Amino acid sequence: MPFADAEMLLFANTETDRIHKDFPIRISREKVCMTYPHSHMTTGCKNCSDRSLRIMCDLSGQARVDFEALGMQMKLPKRAIIFQEDDVCDAATIVCMGQVKLSCTSREGKTHILKIAVPGDVLGMGAAISGAHFEVTAETIEPCVVKKIRRSELLAFLEKYGQASMLAAKALSEEYKSAFFDARRLALSGSTAGRLAGVLLDWGRAAAGCNGTDMRFTMALTHEELANLAGTSRETVTRALGKFQKEGLIEIHGSSFRVVSPTGLETLCS
Amino acid sequence: MPFADAEMLLFANTETDRIHKDFPIRISREKVCMTYPHSHMTTGCKNCSDRSLRIMCDLSGQARVDFEALGMQMKLPKRAIIFQEDDVCDAATIVCMGQVKLSCTSREGKTHILKIAVPGDVLGMGAAISGAHFEVTAETIEPCVVKKIRRSELLAFLEKYGQASMLAAKALSEEYKSAFFDARRLALSGSTAGRLAGVLLDWGRAAAGCNGTDMRFTMALTHEELANLAGTSRETVTRALGKFQKEGLIEIHGSSFRVVSPTGLETLCS
DNA sequence: TCATTGCAGTGACCAAGATCACAGGCCGAC
DNA sequence: GTCGGCCTGTGATCTTGGTCACTGCAATGA
């Protein structure tokens, strides 16, 4: 798993200091699991050791070998921009480690966070396939490892292996689903507190899926960002989180969150 | 273009009367263009005579012939349910004629309309490929012609022609985009009037793309449905439309809408 | 012809939540 | 250390838009 150090230079000129400070060069399996609660990095989790392969898990033989050779793996510091809204798409990106914030911004500067991508997620697949511009901005919220696959290489690969096209289509349909559930939550949940509850519940469930049944995770977002995610204001998030704690639905210690009563949150989602 | 009359029986037992009343058996080109303002049915439009082929336009040779032979074309009356939320997906559906409402419903009975599908749109492609349940309900809002392709046949076809898989992926990415823009509109437009303006603008543009530059279209939705589409209440829609008219942004005569000032609506979207 | 039903239009009221303003806390930089 | 910047917490106010309640209108069907 060689890192593309050349690519690091892209960031080095402005962010060299950060890189070395924020990014632990050697990360043990344990460390990863603590730092990245959403991560599926452990070998036991879904039986797969390299998350960048998740979408292509079902590939067989030469196709898989070829896919593994594809693209360029790179380490990114916190707050690195992977791609920006309206950029021409020249590559798809697979998240191998860390969390990535996907957001879009209105002309007035209002920003909406669509989702937090976790290891195994593919970013910009739709834009890569249809040759369009990105609709969202992708920014790391912690030190990350990603794998960039140039659009031309990706297309050539899909062209060569029809089998892989189907898997790409599946990855796309995941991308679609998350946008859909996002819209659904925004539209159908009656209250802002309900939307926030839904977000916490999703994360709790994701964490439980990885670390057993304990719905504990590290919140990597500020209240402001949570607000952008739930379509509300920072103050409302602060108040809602306070209320959830008072009612015993969640526990918060610093950036460590734990969902105590999933059913309680569930009823709020309405 | 033979119709699958056998399939009609599915509806005939409950809806026979409606079918014959609502559905004009022979539709002239002109009639189509008046009845279905969003339709791309005219031969001049994007240079394609059969909209059910739109996603597979780029197919060549035998693949295209095979695709054309695929599936079953059927006429549907107004208000026919094509598939429902949580149904197991057994087929993808291509809209050939007419408009189809895609909606989802919360446990409390609140419904949200995602989009109005128009001829050429493919419904349930994501669910068909990933073998999942439908996330939305599809219901015709006017007499329609659709083409249903059984999941097994579709998969076999995609398996056979790798080229087609890519096109399917493109169709999927379209599906994704519409969900995304939906979420974006809900999240980023400051006011409810803004969201409504955005919807009208989209439709005006779609109509203009087909019938020249005149942004005139027939509104097939009630105020209530528009409200569900824009995430607001019926009363607010009524008031907003009234305001738009008063300000000279749109003209409404019965169900005929015309966007007078696209730029005016645009500024509202914010 | 009249009754029924569903949609459109409008006023009054009310509450959820956005916004503003400010205070305290934490953390990194110097 | 301490300074400054960002994040969190909280009260006061104000606006938007949801809800209720009612009327009028048009289509449908008996």
Side-chain angles (χ1 to χ4, degrees):
Chain A
M1 208 200 267
F3 291 104
D5 286 319
E7 295 263 355
M8 287 296 283
L9 292 173
L10 287 174
F11 301 88
N13 46 2
T14 56
E15 306 247 350
T16 315
D17 299 342
R18 294 200 99 119
I19 289 176
H20 296 305
K21 216 181 287 176
D22 289 347
F23 202 88
I25 297 302
R26 290 179 185 285
I27 306 177
S28 70
R29 277 277 143 81
E30 290 70 23
K31 181 70 190 295
V32 167
C33 248
M34 287 171 59
T35 316
Y36 310 101
H38 286 169
S39 166
H40 297 255
M41 288 289 290
T42 54
T43 47
C45 189
K46 291 212 184 142
N47 224 14
C48 193
S49 58
D50 186 348
R51 303 316 323 154
S52 74
L53 275 172
R54 197 181 74 184
I55 52 157
M56 294 297 168
C57 266
D58 295 334
L59 277 185
S60 54
Q62 190 57 35
R64 179 156 179 164
V65 174
D66 279 12
F67 182 75
E68 235 163 314
L70 224 57
M72 188 103 84
Q73 198 151 30
M74 48 206 273
K75 295 176 282 185
L76 298 180
K78 213 173 172 175
R79 246 168 280 185
I81 305 285
I82 300 177
F83 52 77
Q84 249 171 332
E85 220 171 327
D86 295 328
D87 278 1
V88 173
C89 170
D90 59 343
T93 304
I94 303 175
V95 181
C96 307
M97 235 193 258
Q99 298 183 60
V100 177
K101 180 175 83 178
L102 300 181
S103 61
C104 56
T105 308
S106 73
R107 271 163 295 154
E108 288 73 37
K110 217 167 153 185
T111 87
H112 171 58
I113 300 180
L114 279 112
K115 74 174 244 175
I116 304 299
V118 297
D121 283 344
V122 188
L123 314 179
M125 181 70 111
I129 285 178
S130 62
H133 295 235
F134 293 109
E135 297 107 0
V136 297
T137 298
E139 180 187 344
T140 61
I141 56 175
E142 44 180 17
C144 285
V145 177
V146 303
K147 191 173 186 183
K148 271 199 164 184
I149 302 180
R150 239 181 281 285
R151 179 165 180 252
S152 52
E153 292 176 36
L154 178 67
L155 291 182
F157 175 77
L158 294 181
E159 195 85 10
K160 188 168 171 193
Y161 299 103
Q163 181 197 16
S165 294
M166 285 298 297
L167 296 175
K170 271 190 198 174
L172 254 182
S173 106
E174 292 301 315
E175 221 170 310
Y176 157 68
K177 264 192 210 165
S178 86
F180 165 73
F181 284 115
D182 196 50
R184 189 201 162 96
R185 175 162 30 233
L186 277 173
L188 289 183
S189 84
S191 62
T192 57
R195 288 199 290 275
L196 192 58
V199 170
L200 295 178
L201 206 49
D202 279 359
W203 288 0
R205 287 199 184 117
C210 188
N211 312 325
T213 57
D214 200 17
M215 299 175 89
R216 192 190 302 274
F217 56 93
T218 307
M219 172 57 63
L221 301 181
T222 67
H223 287 190
E224 177 110 42
E225 288 173 312
L226 271 175
N228 290 337
L229 186 54
T232 179
S233 66
R234 183 191 61 79
E235 294 91 331
T236 304
V237 167
T238 302
R239 286 187 248 263
L241 288 181
K243 196 164 70 77
F244 292 170
Q245 268 185 293
K246 219 173 287 168
E247 292 169 355
L249 302 177
I250 59 172
E251 276 171 15
I252 305 178
H253 299 106
S255 64
S256 162
F257 275 55
R258 195 168 78 86
V259 174
V260 178
S261 166
T263 52
L265 289 180
E266 182 94 44
T267 57
L268 276 176
C269 289
S270 67
Chain B
M1 208 199 268
F3 290 105
D5 286 319
E7 294 264 352
M8 287 296 282
L9 293 172
L10 288 173
F11 300 88
N13 46 2
T14 55
E15 305 247 349
T16 316
D17 299 341
R18 295 197 97 121
I19 289 176
H20 296 305
K21 215 180 287 176
D22 289 348
F23 203 90
I25 297 302
R26 290 179 185 283
I27 307 175
S28 69
R29 276 278 144 79
E30 289 70 23
K31 181 71 190 294
V32 168
C33 248
M34 286 170 59
T35 316
Y36 310 102
H38 286 169
S39 165
H40 298 256
M41 289 287 291
T42 54
T43 46
C45 191
K46 291 211 184 143
N47 225 12
C48 194
S49 59
D50 186 349
R51 303 316 324 155
S52 75
L53 275 172
R54 197 182 72 184
I55 53 157
M56 295 297 167
C57 265
D58 294 336
L59 278 184
S60 53
Q62 190 58 35
R64 179 157 179 163
V65 174
D66 279 12
F67 181 75
E68 234 162 315
L70 225 56
M72 189 101 85
Q73 199 151 31
M74 49 205 274
K75 296 176 280 184
L76 297 181
K78 215 172 170 175
R79 247 166 278 186
I81 306 284
I82 300 178
F83 52 77
Q84 248 171 333
E85 220 171 327
D86 296 328
D87 278 0
V88 174
C89 170
D90 60 342
T93 304
I94 304 175
V95 181
C96 307
M97 237 193 254
Q99 298 183 61
V100 176
K101 178 175 83 176
L102 300 180
S103 62
C104 55
T105 308
S106 72
R107 271 164 295 155
E108 288 72 38
K110 218 167 151 185
T111 87
H112 171 59
I113 300 179
L114 279 112
K115 73 174 244 173
I116 304 299
V118 297
D121 282 345
V122 187
L123 314 179
M125 181 70 110
I129 285 179
S130 62
H133 296 235
F134 293 110
E135 298 107 358
V136 297
T137 298
E139 179 187 345
T140 61
I141 56 176
E142 42 179 21
C144 285
V145 177
V146 303
K147 190 174 186 181
K148 271 200 165 183
I149 303 181
R150 238 181 283 284
R151 178 163 181 252
S152 53
E153 292 176 36
L154 179 65
L155 292 182
F157 176 76
L158 294 181
E159 195 87 8
K160 188 169 172 193
Y161 300 103
Q163 181 197 15
S165 295
M166 286 296 297
L167 295 175
K170 272 189 198 176
L172 253 183
S173 107
E174 291 302 314
E175 220 171 310
Y176 157 68
K177 264 191 209 165
S178 87
F180 165 73
F181 284 115
D182 196 52
R184 188 200 163 96
R185 179 168 20 239
L186 277 174
L188 289 182
S189 83
S191 62
T192 56
R195 288 198 290 275
L196 191 60
V199 170
L200 295 178
L201 205 49
D202 278 359
W203 287 0
R205 289 200 183 115
C210 189
N211 313 325
T213 57
D214 200 16
M215 299 175 88
R216 191 190 304 272
F217 55 93
T218 307
M219 171 58 62
L221 301 181
T222 67
H223 286 191
E224 177 110 44
E225 289 173 311
L226 270 175
N228 290 337
L229 186 54
T232 180
S233 67
R234 184 190 61 80
E235 293 91 329
T236 304
V237 168
T238 302
R239 286 187 249 264
L241 288 181
K243 196 165 69 79
F244 291 170
Q245 268 186 292
K246 220 172 285 169
E247 293 169 355
L249 302 177
I250 60 173
E251 276 172 15
I252 304 178
H253 299 106
S255 63
S256 162
F257 275 55
R258 195 167 77 86
V259 174
V260 179
S261 165
T263 52
L265 289 180
E266 182 94 43
T267 56
L268 276 175
C269 290
S270 67

